[in-house]
Amino acid sequence: MSDETEQTVFPYSQLVMGSLARGAEDEALAAQDEADREWLNTGEQMIQGEQSELDRAVADGKTYAQFRSAVVHTLNCSIVRERFDRMSAWRALLERFGAGEYNATIRPGPTLYHRHELEALPRTRRRCEKCAPDIENWTKPSPSHPGTVITKEIKSVSLAAHHAGRTLILADGSEAGEIEAVHITVTTTGGTYKIGRDASVTLRHVVSK
C-alpha cells in the first residue's frame, strides 16, 4: 500500500472513531443530566417534606425546639432560627460543596414539642441561655443513682441467683414479691428435684451405636 493510500484511510477511520466516541459521550452526558434531574426532583420533594412537617408542628402549637443535643430552644431563638428554613439549609450545604468543602454536612432541622411532650421525655434537657424557654432543666438519673427504679424484661430461663432481692413481675403484670432464691425443677424417673441455678450437677449417659 502506498504512502498516499495510508494517509487517505487513516484520517477517515479516525473521523469515524471520533464520531462514535462523541456519540457515546453525548449519550453519557444525557443520561447524567436525566439522573441529575431525578435527583434534584427527589431532593426537592424531601426538603418540602421536611418543611411541611415543621410547619404542621408550628400550626399545632408546638413551641419548644430540640435538635440532637439536650438544649431546648424557642421558635424565635436567634441561634437556631435559620435552621427552621430547610430550603435555605440545603442551599447553604450546596454552596459549601461548590466552594470545595466536600466534607460539609447538612445541619438537621429541629423536633418540635408541646411542653407536656418535652417534659415526658426520659432524657436530659437544658434551657438555651440565649432564648431562655419557660421550662426547667432536667437531668436523666444514672442507672446507679440511689432511688432509681429500673424495670427490665428478661426470659425466665435467664433468672439466676444474682437476681435475688429484685421484685418479680409476672406476665400478667402482677407482682409476685421479691426473689429470695432461684431454682430449676428437674423431673426424672426417680422423682422431681429442685436444684439451685448456680449448683453443679454431673450427667451420665451411654453413647448409642
Side-chain angles (χ1 to χ4, degrees), residues 25-38:
E25 183 179 355
D26 290 342
E27 290 182 4
L29 289 174
Q32 183 62 48
D33 288 343
E34 180 64 24
D36 289 345
R37 282 192 293 272
E38 291 182 5

Side-chain angles (χ1 to χ4, degrees), residues 36-53:
D36 289 345
R37 282 192 293 272
E38 291 182 5
W39 185 89
L40 289 172
N41 184 50
T42 301
E44 185 174 354
Q45 291 177 359
M46 180 190 67
I47 296 169
Q48 288 175 349
E50 283 187 28
Q51 193 64 59
S52 295
E53 185 176 347

Side-chain angles (χ1 to χ4, degrees), residues 10 154 166 192 197:
F10 180 74
I154 65 172
R166 302 186 186 187
T192 300
R197 289 298 301 264

Side-chain angles (χ1 to χ4, degrees), residues 101-120:
E101 296 182 45
Y102 301 116
N103 61 340
T105 56
I106 185 67
R107 304 183 71 186
T111 301
L112 304 186
Y113 300 97
H114 291 293
R115 182 190 182 107
H116 69 275
E117 292 175 329
L118 190 56
E119 290 178 335

Side-chain angles (χ1 to χ4, degrees), residues 1-12:
M1 184 178 293
S2 66
D3 293 341
E4 182 179 354
T5 304
E6 289 178 356
Q7 291 176 1
T8 302
V9 174
F10 180 74
Y12 176 74

Side-chain angles (χ1 to χ4, degrees), residues 203-209:
L203 301 178
R204 183 179 68 239
H205 73 287
V206 178
V207 177
S208 59
K209 296 181 179 179

